[in-house]
Amino acid sequence: AQKVTQAQTEISVVEKEDVTLDCVYETRDTTYYLFWYKQPPSGELVFLIRRNSFDEQNEISGRYSWNFQKSTSSFNFTITASQVVDSAVYFCALSPYNTDKLIFGTGTRLQVFP
Amino acid sequence: SAVISQKPSRDICQRGTSLTIQCQVDSQVTMMFWYRQQPGQSLTLIATANQGSEATYESGFVIDKFPISRPNLTFSTLTVSNMSPEDSSIYLCSVDRNEETQYFGPGTRLLVL
């Protein structure tokens, strides 16, 4: 079975705190893609990152960083020095190789308070 | 990425009626997708719409309820037929420009009374 689990339903932090959003996935495929999307209150889904299963290098983009560990089937997302504009629902998703499907987790709602 | 627009952005409809949602992309794409996001829930794929072929529906979704058109490589429509309050959701289209990444439109918020 293919599945994405985001165990954290909601996280609240104060501005400038660091926060990590957890994502655990299940797949029997050896080749697959992992994604993070952001959904602000306006509703659109914003693409943040794609990672393929053969690339376990961590990635940093500004205040955002991602930690991919195949050994634990996790693809966690850290926001450093959070800001109020980071408040959104964040979705982790899995796409098995050679399919077009995105399997989404249930999302984590992040609230950043000033 | 891609510039994707959806119309309408939101609507309030009476039960038993139908609503057609349009998705327009700024460039030609082979693959377009339609998702439903029920209130407070995650996204669920309704169907994949490729130009020149019938849409492929996921388990639990049928063509009679969600007919889809894909007349060209930049446009698609999803109709929500014979609506009930349970159809109240955000409907999103997405595209994949052969980059193995889906980019999403702004969504259509539907409320059925």
Side-chain angles (χ1 to χ4, degrees), chain A residues 33 35 37 39 41-45 47 50 91 100-102 104-106, chain B residues 31 33 35 37 42-43 45 58 92 99-106 109:
Chain A
Y33 294 97
F35 300 81
Y37 287 88
Q39 187 175 42
S42 51
E44 78 273 22
L45 219 62
F47 166 74
R50 181 190 77 203
F91 290 98
D100 315 314
K101 300 183 182 181
L102 276 176
F104 282 89
T106 50
Chain B
M31 308 182 69
F33 307 86
Y35 288 82
Q37 186 179 21
S42 187
L43 285 81
L45 179 64
E58 296 300 301
L92 300 105
E99 298 170 2
E100 290 145 350
T101 298
Q102 289 185 32
Y103 297 95
F104 285 80
R109 291 177 185 268

PDB file of all heavy atoms in Angstrom, chain A residues 33 35 37 39 41-45 47 50 91 100-102 104-106, chain B residues 31 33 35 37 42-43 45 58 92 99-106 109:
ATOM      1  N   TYR A  33       8.789   9.716  -6.035  1.00  0.00           N
ATOM      2  CA  TYR A  33       9.042  11.128  -5.756  1.00  0.00           C
ATOM      3  C   TYR A  33       8.287  11.543  -4.497  1.00  0.00           C
ATOM      4  O   TYR A  33       7.208  11.033  -4.206  1.00  0.00           O
ATOM      5  CB  TYR A  33       8.565  11.999  -6.922  1.00  0.00           C
ATOM      6  CG  TYR A  33       9.350  11.791  -8.192  1.00  0.00           C
ATOM      7  CD1 TYR A  33       8.884  10.933  -9.191  1.00  0.00           C
ATOM      8  CD2 TYR A  33      10.554  12.449  -8.397  1.00  0.00           C
ATOM      9  CE1 TYR A  33       9.599  10.744 -10.354  1.00  0.00           C
ATOM     10  CE2 TYR A  33      11.275  12.261  -9.565  1.00  0.00           C
ATOM     11  CZ  TYR A  33      10.795  11.406 -10.536  1.00  0.00           C
ATOM     12  OH  TYR A  33      11.509  11.225 -11.686  1.00  0.00           O
ATOM     13  N   PHE A  35       7.062  15.115  -2.277  1.00  0.00           N
ATOM     14  CA  PHE A  35       6.778  16.529  -2.467  1.00  0.00           C
ATOM     15  C   PHE A  35       6.313  17.164  -1.159  1.00  0.00           C
ATOM     16  O   PHE A  35       5.776  16.499  -0.282  1.00  0.00           O
ATOM     17  CB  PHE A  35       5.628  16.719  -3.474  1.00  0.00           C
ATOM     18  CG  PHE A  35       5.880  16.157  -4.838  1.00  0.00           C
ATOM     19  CD1 PHE A  35       5.694  14.809  -5.089  1.00  0.00           C
ATOM     20  CD2 PHE A  35       6.285  16.980  -5.869  1.00  0.00           C
ATOM     21  CE1 PHE A  35       5.917  14.277  -6.350  1.00  0.00           C
ATOM     22  CE2 PHE A  35       6.508  16.460  -7.138  1.00  0.00           C
ATOM     23  CZ  PHE A  35       6.321  15.112  -7.375  1.00  0.00           C
ATOM     24  N   TYR A  37       3.880  20.676  -0.395  1.00  0.00           N
ATOM     25  CA  TYR A  37       3.088  21.783  -0.902  1.00  0.00           C
ATOM     26  C   TYR A  37       2.602  22.605   0.288  1.00  0.00           C
ATOM     27  O   TYR A  37       2.348  22.080   1.368  1.00  0.00           O
ATOM     28  CB  TYR A  37       1.859  21.280  -1.670  1.00  0.00           C
ATOM     29  CG  TYR A  37       2.139  20.683  -3.022  1.00  0.00           C
ATOM     30  CD1 TYR A  37       2.437  19.326  -3.156  1.00  0.00           C
ATOM     31  CD2 TYR A  37       2.074  21.460  -4.177  1.00  0.00           C
ATOM     32  CE1 TYR A  37       2.677  18.766  -4.403  1.00  0.00           C
ATOM     33  CE2 TYR A  37       2.310  20.911  -5.428  1.00  0.00           C
ATOM     34  CZ  TYR A  37       2.603  19.563  -5.533  1.00  0.00           C
ATOM     35  OH  TYR A  37       2.842  19.015  -6.769  1.00  0.00           O
ATOM     36  N   GLN A  39      -0.451  25.309   1.471  1.00  0.00           N
ATOM     37  CA  GLN A  39      -1.777  25.829   1.151  1.00  0.00           C
ATOM     38  C   GLN A  39      -2.109  26.950   2.137  1.00  0.00           C
ATOM     39  O   GLN A  39      -2.572  26.704   3.244  1.00  0.00           O
ATOM     40  CB  GLN A  39      -2.839  24.730   1.216  1.00  0.00           C
ATOM     41  CG  GLN A  39      -4.198  25.197   0.716  1.00  0.00           C
ATOM     42  CD  GLN A  39      -5.225  24.075   0.675  1.00  0.00           C
ATOM     43  OE1 GLN A  39      -5.305  23.259   1.591  1.00  0.00           O
ATOM     44  NE2 GLN A  39      -6.001  24.027  -0.393  1.00  0.00           N
ATOM     45  N   PRO A  41      -4.242  30.350   3.544  1.00  0.00           N
ATOM     46  CA  PRO A  41      -5.694  30.501   3.723  1.00  0.00           C
ATOM     47  C   PRO A  41      -6.452  30.797   2.424  1.00  0.00           C
ATOM     48  O   PRO A  41      -7.636  30.473   2.322  1.00  0.00           O
ATOM     49  CB  PRO A  41      -5.799  31.659   4.716  1.00  0.00           C
ATOM     50  CG  PRO A  41      -4.530  31.590   5.494  1.00  0.00           C
ATOM     51  CD  PRO A  41      -3.486  31.133   4.510  1.00  0.00           C
ATOM     52  N   SER A  42      -5.796  31.387   1.462  1.00  0.00           N
ATOM     53  CA  SER A  42      -6.465  31.683   0.191  1.00  0.00           C
ATOM     54  C   SER A  42      -6.833  30.419  -0.581  1.00  0.00           C
ATOM     55  O   SER A  42      -7.688  30.467  -1.475  1.00  0.00           O
ATOM     56  CB  SER A  42      -5.572  32.577  -0.668  1.00  0.00           C
ATOM     57  OG  SER A  42      -4.274  32.019  -0.774  1.00  0.00           O
ATOM     58  N   GLY A  43      -6.210  29.305  -0.275  1.00  0.00           N
ATOM     59  CA  GLY A  43      -6.649  28.028  -0.835  1.00  0.00           C
ATOM     60  C   GLY A  43      -5.795  27.420  -1.923  1.00  0.00           C
ATOM     61  O   GLY A  43      -5.900  26.222  -2.181  1.00  0.00           O
ATOM     62  N   GLU A  44      -4.982  28.225  -2.603  1.00  0.00           N
ATOM     63  CA  GLU A  44      -4.196  27.622  -3.676  1.00  0.00           C
ATOM     64  C   GLU A  44      -3.094  26.748  -3.100  1.00  0.00           C
ATOM     65  O   GLU A  44      -2.654  26.951  -1.982  1.00  0.00           O
ATOM     66  CB  GLU A  44      -3.611  28.700  -4.598  1.00  0.00           C
ATOM     67  CG  GLU A  44      -2.387  29.406  -4.062  1.00  0.00           C
ATOM     68  CD  GLU A  44      -2.718  30.585  -3.187  1.00  0.00           C
ATOM     69  OE1 GLU A  44      -3.837  30.638  -2.640  1.00  0.00           O
ATOM     70  OE2 GLU A  44      -1.840  31.452  -3.041  1.00  0.00           O
ATOM     71  N   LEU A  45      -2.677  25.794  -3.860  1.00  0.00           N
ATOM     72  CA  LEU A  45      -1.631  24.872  -3.431  1.00  0.00           C
ATOM     73  C   LEU A  45      -0.322  25.304  -4.092  1.00  0.00           C
ATOM     74  O   LEU A  45      -0.226  25.337  -5.315  1.00  0.00           O
ATOM     75  CB  LEU A  45      -1.996  23.454  -3.851  1.00  0.00           C
ATOM     76  CG  LEU A  45      -1.678  22.340  -2.877  1.00  0.00           C
ATOM     77  CD1 LEU A  45      -2.441  22.545  -1.583  1.00  0.00           C
ATOM     78  CD2 LEU A  45      -2.035  20.991  -3.460  1.00  0.00           C
ATOM     79  N   PHE A  47       3.622  24.711  -4.791  1.00  0.00           N
ATOM     80  CA  PHE A  47       4.677  23.709  -4.812  1.00  0.00           C
ATOM     81  C   PHE A  47       5.916  24.247  -4.095  1.00  0.00           C
ATOM     82  O   PHE A  47       6.346  25.373  -4.335  1.00  0.00           O
ATOM     83  CB  PHE A  47       5.017  23.367  -6.267  1.00  0.00           C
ATOM     84  CG  PHE A  47       6.300  22.612  -6.459  1.00  0.00           C
ATOM     85  CD1 PHE A  47       6.384  21.273  -6.122  1.00  0.00           C
ATOM     86  CD2 PHE A  47       7.415  23.245  -6.975  1.00  0.00           C
ATOM     87  CE1 PHE A  47       7.564  20.579  -6.304  1.00  0.00           C
ATOM     88  CE2 PHE A  47       8.604  22.559  -7.165  1.00  0.00           C
ATOM     89  CZ  PHE A  47       8.677  21.220  -6.829  1.00  0.00           C
ATOM     90  N   ARG A  50      10.380  19.003  -4.737  1.00  0.00           N
ATOM     91  CA  ARG A  50      10.282  17.620  -5.179  1.00  0.00           C
ATOM     92  C   ARG A  50      11.618  16.949  -4.914  1.00  0.00           C
ATOM     93  O   ARG A  50      12.674  17.539  -5.131  1.00  0.00           O
ATOM     94  CB  ARG A  50       9.984  17.543  -6.673  1.00  0.00           C
ATOM     95  CG  ARG A  50       9.848  16.108  -7.182  1.00  0.00           C
ATOM     96  CD  ARG A  50       9.806  16.057  -8.684  1.00  0.00           C
ATOM     97  NE  ARG A  50      11.141  16.221  -9.250  1.00  0.00           N
ATOM     98  CZ  ARG A  50      11.360  16.653 -10.482  1.00  0.00           C
ATOM     99  NH1 ARG A  50      10.377  16.986 -11.259  1.00  0.00           N
ATOM    100  NH2 ARG A  50      12.593  16.777 -10.927  1.00  0.00           N
ATOM    101  N   PHE A  91       1.231  20.168   3.078  1.00  0.00           N
ATOM    102  CA  PHE A  91       0.960  18.790   2.666  1.00  0.00           C
ATOM    103  C   PHE A  91       2.227  18.133   2.155  1.00  0.00           C
ATOM    104  O   PHE A  91       2.959  18.713   1.346  1.00  0.00           O
ATOM    105  CB  PHE A  91      -0.087  18.752   1.553  1.00  0.00           C
ATOM    106  CG  PHE A  91      -1.473  19.113   1.995  1.00  0.00           C
ATOM    107  CD1 PHE A  91      -1.960  20.402   1.811  1.00  0.00           C
ATOM    108  CD2 PHE A  91      -2.296  18.169   2.594  1.00  0.00           C
ATOM    109  CE1 PHE A  91      -3.244  20.744   2.214  1.00  0.00           C
ATOM    110  CE2 PHE A  91      -3.576  18.507   2.999  1.00  0.00           C
ATOM    111  CZ  PHE A  91      -4.048  19.788   2.816  1.00  0.00           C
ATOM    112  N   ASP A 100       1.125   9.012 -12.506  1.00  0.00           N
ATOM    113  CA  ASP A 100       0.911  10.452 -12.445  1.00  0.00           C
ATOM    114  C   ASP A 100       0.242  10.858 -11.154  1.00  0.00           C
ATOM    115  O   ASP A 100      -0.086  12.014 -10.974  1.00  0.00           O
ATOM    116  CB  ASP A 100       0.015  10.867 -13.610  1.00  0.00           C
ATOM    117  CG  ASP A 100       0.466  10.212 -14.895  1.00  0.00           C
ATOM    118  OD1 ASP A 100       1.672  10.233 -15.154  1.00  0.00           O
ATOM    119  OD2 ASP A 100      -0.387   9.671 -15.614  1.00  0.00           O
ATOM    120  N   LYS A 101       0.066   9.903 -10.286  1.00  0.00           N
ATOM    121  CA  LYS A 101      -0.773  10.164  -9.122  1.00  0.00           C
ATOM    122  C   LYS A 101       0.025  10.764  -7.979  1.00  0.00           C
ATOM    123  O   LYS A 101       1.181  10.422  -7.751  1.00  0.00           O
ATOM    124  CB  LYS A 101      -1.426   8.863  -8.651  1.00  0.00           C
ATOM    125  CG  LYS A 101      -2.295   8.234  -9.704  1.00  0.00           C
ATOM    126  CD  LYS A 101      -2.986   6.984  -9.191  1.00  0.00           C
ATOM    127  CE  LYS A 101      -3.811   6.376 -10.309  1.00  0.00           C
ATOM    128  NZ  LYS A 101      -4.528   5.176  -9.859  1.00  0.00           N
ATOM    129  N   LEU A 102      -0.605  11.664  -7.284  1.00  0.00           N
ATOM    130  CA  LEU A 102      -0.062  12.205  -6.053  1.00  0.00           C
ATOM    131  C   LEU A 102      -0.892  11.666  -4.898  1.00  0.00           C
ATOM    132  O   LEU A 102      -2.112  11.819  -4.879  1.00  0.00           O
ATOM    133  CB  LEU A 102      -0.145  13.738  -6.053  1.00  0.00           C
ATOM    134  CG  LEU A 102       0.976  14.507  -6.750  1.00  0.00           C
ATOM    135  CD1 LEU A 102       0.662  15.987  -6.740  1.00  0.00           C
ATOM    136  CD2 LEU A 102       2.314  14.239  -6.085  1.00  0.00           C
ATOM    137  N   PHE A 104      -1.551  12.237  -1.151  1.00  0.00           N
ATOM    138  CA  PHE A 104      -1.320  13.289  -0.171  1.00  0.00           C
ATOM    139  C   PHE A 104      -1.478  12.771   1.249  1.00  0.00           C
ATOM    140  O   PHE A 104      -2.305  11.892   1.527  1.00  0.00           O
ATOM    141  CB  PHE A 104      -2.319  14.430  -0.373  1.00  0.00           C
ATOM    142  CG  PHE A 104      -1.984  15.335  -1.527  1.00  0.00           C
ATOM    143  CD1 PHE A 104      -2.444  15.062  -2.801  1.00  0.00           C
ATOM    144  CD2 PHE A 104      -1.214  16.473  -1.327  1.00  0.00           C
ATOM    145  CE1 PHE A 104      -2.137  15.893  -3.865  1.00  0.00           C
ATOM    146  CE2 PHE A 104      -0.897  17.323  -2.375  1.00  0.00           C
ATOM    147  CZ  PHE A 104      -1.365  17.021  -3.649  1.00  0.00           C
ATOM    148  N   GLY A 105      -0.692  13.354   2.150  1.00  0.00           N
ATOM    149  CA  GLY A 105      -0.948  13.189   3.575  1.00  0.00           C
ATOM    150  C   GLY A 105      -2.127  14.058   3.969  1.00  0.00           C
ATOM    151  O   GLY A 105      -2.696  14.800   3.154  1.00  0.00           O
ATOM    152  N   THR A 106      -2.483  13.984   5.226  1.00  0.00           N
ATOM    153  CA  THR A 106      -3.657  14.714   5.707  1.00  0.00           C
ATOM    154  C   THR A 106      -3.355  16.171   6.016  1.00  0.00           C
ATOM    155  O   THR A 106      -4.261  16.939   6.320  1.00  0.00           O
ATOM    156  CB  THR A 106      -4.231  14.044   6.953  1.00  0.00           C
ATOM    157  OG1 THR A 106      -3.173  13.830   7.888  1.00  0.00           O
ATOM    158  CG2 THR A 106      -4.880  12.705   6.611  1.00  0.00           C
TER     159      THR A 106
ATOM    160  N   MET B  31      -0.960  16.524 -19.524  1.00  0.00           N
ATOM    161  CA  MET B  31      -1.713  15.931 -18.437  1.00  0.00           C
ATOM    162  C   MET B  31      -2.341  16.999 -17.554  1.00  0.00           C
ATOM    163  O   MET B  31      -1.669  17.919 -17.095  1.00  0.00           O
ATOM    164  CB  MET B  31      -0.794  15.047 -17.610  1.00  0.00           C
ATOM    165  CG  MET B  31      -0.021  14.034 -18.442  1.00  0.00           C
ATOM    166  SD  MET B  31       1.008  12.980 -17.457  1.00  0.00           S
ATOM    167  CE  MET B  31      -0.257  12.064 -16.666  1.00  0.00           C
ATOM    168  N   PHE B  33      -5.227  17.267 -14.206  1.00  0.00           N
ATOM    169  CA  PHE B  33      -5.823  16.473 -13.138  1.00  0.00           C
ATOM    170  C   PHE B  33      -6.867  17.313 -12.413  1.00  0.00           C
ATOM    171  O   PHE B  33      -6.736  18.529 -12.295  1.00  0.00           O
ATOM    172  CB  PHE B  33      -4.760  16.046 -12.123  1.00  0.00           C
ATOM    173  CG  PHE B  33      -3.564  15.355 -12.715  1.00  0.00           C
ATOM    174  CD1 PHE B  33      -2.497  16.101 -13.204  1.00  0.00           C
ATOM    175  CD2 PHE B  33      -3.510  13.981 -12.801  1.00  0.00           C
ATOM    176  CE1 PHE B  33      -1.395  15.490 -13.762  1.00  0.00           C
ATOM    177  CE2 PHE B  33      -2.400  13.356 -13.354  1.00  0.00           C
ATOM    178  CZ  PHE B  33      -1.341  14.106 -13.836  1.00  0.00           C
ATOM    179  N   TYR B  35      -8.853  17.469  -8.642  1.00  0.00           N
ATOM    180  CA  TYR B  35      -8.849  17.007  -7.257  1.00  0.00           C
ATOM    181  C   TYR B  35     -10.034  17.607  -6.514  1.00  0.00           C
ATOM    182  O   TYR B  35     -10.508  18.700  -6.823  1.00  0.00           O
ATOM    183  CB  TYR B  35      -7.568  17.454  -6.541  1.00  0.00           C
ATOM    184  CG  TYR B  35      -6.317  16.732  -6.959  1.00  0.00           C
ATOM    185  CD1 TYR B  35      -5.627  17.110  -8.100  1.00  0.00           C
ATOM    186  CD2 TYR B  35      -5.805  15.686  -6.196  1.00  0.00           C
ATOM    187  CE1 TYR B  35      -4.466  16.454  -8.480  1.00  0.00           C
ATOM    188  CE2 TYR B  35      -4.638  15.031  -6.566  1.00  0.00           C
ATOM    189  CZ  TYR B  35      -3.976  15.432  -7.707  1.00  0.00           C
ATOM    190  OH  TYR B  35      -2.823  14.776  -8.071  1.00  0.00           O
ATOM    191  N   GLN B  37     -11.106  18.602  -2.472  1.00  0.00           N
ATOM    192  CA  GLN B  37     -10.665  18.773  -1.100  1.00  0.00           C
ATOM    193  C   GLN B  37     -11.878  19.122  -0.255  1.00  0.00           C
ATOM    194  O   GLN B  37     -12.356  20.264  -0.261  1.00  0.00           O
ATOM    195  CB  GLN B  37      -9.597  19.857  -0.976  1.00  0.00           C
ATOM    196  CG  GLN B  37      -9.010  19.960   0.432  1.00  0.00           C
ATOM    197  CD  GLN B  37      -7.935  21.031   0.545  1.00  0.00           C
ATOM    198  OE1 GLN B  37      -7.873  21.953  -0.263  1.00  0.00           O
ATOM    199  NE2 GLN B  37      -7.079  20.914   1.544  1.00  0.00           N
ATOM    200  N   SER B  42      -7.765  16.346   3.248  1.00  0.00           N
ATOM    201  CA  SER B  42      -6.683  16.377   2.276  1.00  0.00           C
ATOM    202  C   SER B  42      -7.244  16.350   0.857  1.00  0.00           C
ATOM    203  O   SER B  42      -8.459  16.376   0.654  1.00  0.00           O
ATOM    204  CB  SER B  42      -5.770  15.174   2.517  1.00  0.00           C
ATOM    205  OG  SER B  42      -4.623  15.255   1.707  1.00  0.00           O
ATOM    206  N   LEU B  43      -6.370  16.302  -0.107  1.00  0.00           N
ATOM    207  CA  LEU B  43      -6.783  16.288  -1.504  1.00  0.00           C
ATOM    208  C   LEU B  43      -6.951  14.856  -1.983  1.00  0.00           C
ATOM    209  O   LEU B  43      -6.115  13.990  -1.691  1.00  0.00           O
ATOM    210  CB  LEU B  43      -5.746  16.986  -2.385  1.00  0.00           C
ATOM    211  CG  LEU B  43      -5.709  18.497  -2.329  1.00  0.00           C
ATOM    212  CD1 LEU B  43      -4.934  18.998  -1.125  1.00  0.00           C
ATOM    213  CD2 LEU B  43      -5.109  19.065  -3.617  1.00  0.00           C
ATOM    214  N   LEU B  45      -7.677  12.706  -5.601  1.00  0.00           N
ATOM    215  CA  LEU B  45      -7.722  12.770  -7.062  1.00  0.00           C
ATOM    216  C   LEU B  45      -9.060  12.244  -7.564  1.00  0.00           C
ATOM    217  O   LEU B  45      -9.475  11.137  -7.201  1.00  0.00           O
ATOM    218  CB  LEU B  45      -6.579  11.948  -7.660  1.00  0.00           C
ATOM    219  CG  LEU B  45      -6.481  11.890  -9.181  1.00  0.00           C
ATOM    220  CD1 LEU B  45      -6.194  13.286  -9.755  1.00  0.00           C
ATOM    221  CD2 LEU B  45      -5.406  10.910  -9.617  1.00  0.00           C
ATOM    222  N   GLU B  58     -10.755   7.864 -10.739  1.00  0.00           N
ATOM    223  CA  GLU B  58     -10.292   7.102  -9.579  1.00  0.00           C
ATOM    224  C   GLU B  58     -11.474   6.385  -8.934  1.00  0.00           C
ATOM    225  O   GLU B  58     -12.645   6.726  -9.159  1.00  0.00           O
ATOM    226  CB  GLU B  58      -9.626   8.033  -8.569  1.00  0.00           C
ATOM    227  CG  GLU B  58      -8.370   8.688  -9.102  1.00  0.00           C
ATOM    228  CD  GLU B  58      -7.301   7.684  -9.491  1.00  0.00           C
ATOM    229  OE1 GLU B  58      -6.869   6.904  -8.624  1.00  0.00           O
ATOM    230  OE2 GLU B  58      -6.892   7.694 -10.667  1.00  0.00           O
ATOM    231  N   LEU B  92      -9.824  21.519  -7.296  1.00  0.00           N
ATOM    232  CA  LEU B  92      -8.575  22.062  -7.850  1.00  0.00           C
ATOM    233  C   LEU B  92      -8.162  21.298  -9.094  1.00  0.00           C
ATOM    234  O   LEU B  92      -8.261  20.071  -9.134  1.00  0.00           O
ATOM    235  CB  LEU B  92      -7.434  21.974  -6.836  1.00  0.00           C
ATOM    236  CG  LEU B  92      -7.614  22.719  -5.514  1.00  0.00           C
ATOM    237  CD1 LEU B  92      -7.920  21.758  -4.387  1.00  0.00           C
ATOM    238  CD2 LEU B  92      -6.360  23.523  -5.180  1.00  0.00           C
ATOM    239  N   GLU B  99       7.378  17.388 -16.150  1.00  0.00           N
ATOM    240  CA  GLU B  99       8.455  17.665 -15.211  1.00  0.00           C
ATOM    241  C   GLU B  99       8.318  16.804 -13.974  1.00  0.00           C
ATOM    242  O   GLU B  99       9.020  17.005 -12.995  1.00  0.00           O
ATOM    243  CB  GLU B  99       8.418  19.135 -14.789  1.00  0.00           C
ATOM    244  CG  GLU B  99       8.615  20.109 -15.925  1.00  0.00           C
ATOM    245  CD  GLU B  99       8.336  21.534 -15.492  1.00  0.00           C
ATOM    246  OE1 GLU B  99       8.034  21.767 -14.316  1.00  0.00           O
ATOM    247  OE2 GLU B  99       8.433  22.427 -16.357  1.00  0.00           O
ATOM    248  N   GLU B 100       7.346  15.887 -14.025  1.00  0.00           N
ATOM    249  CA  GLU B 100       7.064  15.025 -12.879  1.00  0.00           C
ATOM    250  C   GLU B 100       6.737  15.838 -11.636  1.00  0.00           C
ATOM    251  O   GLU B 100       7.013  15.424 -10.511  1.00  0.00           O
ATOM    252  CB  GLU B 100       8.237  14.068 -12.619  1.00  0.00           C
ATOM    253  CG  GLU B 100       8.353  13.022 -13.698  1.00  0.00           C
ATOM    254  CD  GLU B 100       9.796  12.633 -14.024  1.00  0.00           C
ATOM    255  OE1 GLU B 100      10.721  13.301 -13.550  1.00  0.00           O
ATOM    256  OE2 GLU B 100       9.977  11.679 -14.765  1.00  0.00           O
ATOM    257  N   THR B 101       6.179  16.998 -11.849  1.00  0.00           N
ATOM    258  CA  THR B 101       5.716  17.854 -10.761  1.00  0.00           C
ATOM    259  C   THR B 101       4.378  18.430 -11.162  1.00  0.00           C
ATOM    260  O   THR B 101       4.227  18.932 -12.277  1.00  0.00           O
ATOM    261  CB  THR B 101       6.710  18.991 -10.483  1.00  0.00           C
ATOM    262  OG1 THR B 101       7.959  18.442 -10.080  1.00  0.00           O
ATOM    263  CG2 THR B 101       6.186  19.929  -9.397  1.00  0.00           C
ATOM    264  N   GLN B 102       3.401  18.361 -10.262  1.00  0.00           N
ATOM    265  CA  GLN B 102       2.095  18.943 -10.545  1.00  0.00           C
ATOM    266  C   GLN B 102       2.014  20.343  -9.948  1.00  0.00           C
ATOM    267  O   GLN B 102       2.375  20.557  -8.784  1.00  0.00           O
ATOM    268  CB  GLN B 102       0.992  18.056  -9.972  1.00  0.00           C
ATOM    269  CG  GLN B 102       0.835  16.739 -10.733  1.00  0.00           C
ATOM    270  CD  GLN B 102      -0.337  15.932 -10.245  1.00  0.00           C
ATOM    271  OE1 GLN B 102      -1.354  16.474  -9.800  1.00  0.00           O
ATOM    272  NE2 GLN B 102      -0.218  14.609 -10.339  1.00  0.00           N
ATOM    273  N   TYR B 103       1.523  21.251 -10.774  1.00  0.00           N
ATOM    274  CA  TYR B 103       1.266  22.624 -10.340  1.00  0.00           C
ATOM    275  C   TYR B 103      -0.235  22.830 -10.324  1.00  0.00           C
ATOM    276  O   TYR B 103      -0.934  22.419 -11.245  1.00  0.00           O
ATOM    277  CB  TYR B 103       1.948  23.621 -11.269  1.00  0.00           C
ATOM    278  CG  TYR B 103       3.453  23.492 -11.253  1.00  0.00           C
ATOM    279  CD1 TYR B 103       4.109  22.716 -12.204  1.00  0.00           C
ATOM    280  CD2 TYR B 103       4.212  24.125 -10.276  1.00  0.00           C
ATOM    281  CE1 TYR B 103       5.492  22.581 -12.182  1.00  0.00           C
ATOM    282  CE2 TYR B 103       5.593  23.997 -10.248  1.00  0.00           C
ATOM    283  CZ  TYR B 103       6.230  23.222 -11.203  1.00  0.00           C
ATOM    284  OH  TYR B 103       7.585  23.080 -11.168  1.00  0.00           O
ATOM    285  N   PHE B 104      -0.698  23.502  -9.296  1.00  0.00           N
ATOM    286  CA  PHE B 104      -2.128  23.595  -9.039  1.00  0.00           C
ATOM    287  C   PHE B 104      -2.693  24.975  -9.360  1.00  0.00           C
ATOM    288  O   PHE B 104      -2.015  25.995  -9.204  1.00  0.00           O
ATOM    289  CB  PHE B 104      -2.411  23.268  -7.572  1.00  0.00           C
ATOM    290  CG  PHE B 104      -2.306  21.803  -7.257  1.00  0.00           C
ATOM    291  CD1 PHE B 104      -1.070  21.205  -7.063  1.00  0.00           C
ATOM    292  CD2 PHE B 104      -3.441  21.013  -7.197  1.00  0.00           C
ATOM    293  CE1 PHE B 104      -0.965  19.856  -6.803  1.00  0.00           C
ATOM    294  CE2 PHE B 104      -3.347  19.659  -6.925  1.00  0.00           C
ATOM    295  CZ  PHE B 104      -2.106  19.075  -6.728  1.00  0.00           C
ATOM    296  N   GLY B 105      -3.959  24.952  -9.774  1.00  0.00           N
ATOM    297  CA  GLY B 105      -4.699  26.186  -9.919  1.00  0.00           C
ATOM    298  C   GLY B 105      -5.143  26.703  -8.565  1.00  0.00           C
ATOM    299  O   GLY B 105      -4.930  26.049  -7.536  1.00  0.00           O
ATOM    300  N   PRO B 106      -5.785  27.871  -8.559  1.00  0.00           N
ATOM    301  CA  PRO B 106      -6.177  28.513  -7.303  1.00  0.00           C
ATOM    302  C   PRO B 106      -7.363  27.856  -6.618  1.00  0.00           C
ATOM    303  O   PRO B 106      -7.657  28.165  -5.473  1.00  0.00           O
ATOM    304  CB  PRO B 106      -6.514  29.947  -7.728  1.00  0.00           C
ATOM    305  CG  PRO B 106      -6.902  29.814  -9.156  1.00  0.00           C
ATOM    306  CD  PRO B 106      -6.065  28.714  -9.720  1.00  0.00           C
ATOM    307  N   ARG B 109     -14.054  27.175  -4.800  1.00  0.00           N
ATOM    308  CA  ARG B 109     -14.740  26.844  -3.546  1.00  0.00           C
ATOM    309  C   ARG B 109     -16.230  26.728  -3.821  1.00  0.00           C
ATOM    310  O   ARG B 109     -16.865  27.703  -4.242  1.00  0.00           O
ATOM    311  CB  ARG B 109     -14.502  27.930  -2.504  1.00  0.00           C
ATOM    312  CG  ARG B 109     -13.087  28.002  -2.000  1.00  0.00           C
ATOM    313  CD  ARG B 109     -12.912  29.151  -1.012  1.00  0.00           C
ATOM    314  NE  ARG B 109     -11.529  29.305  -0.600  1.00  0.00           N
ATOM    315  CZ  ARG B 109     -10.986  28.729   0.457  1.00  0.00           C
ATOM    316  NH1 ARG B 109     -11.738  27.952   1.233  1.00  0.00           N
ATOM    317  NH2 ARG B 109      -9.719  28.914   0.765  1.00  0.00           N
TER     318      ARG B 109
END
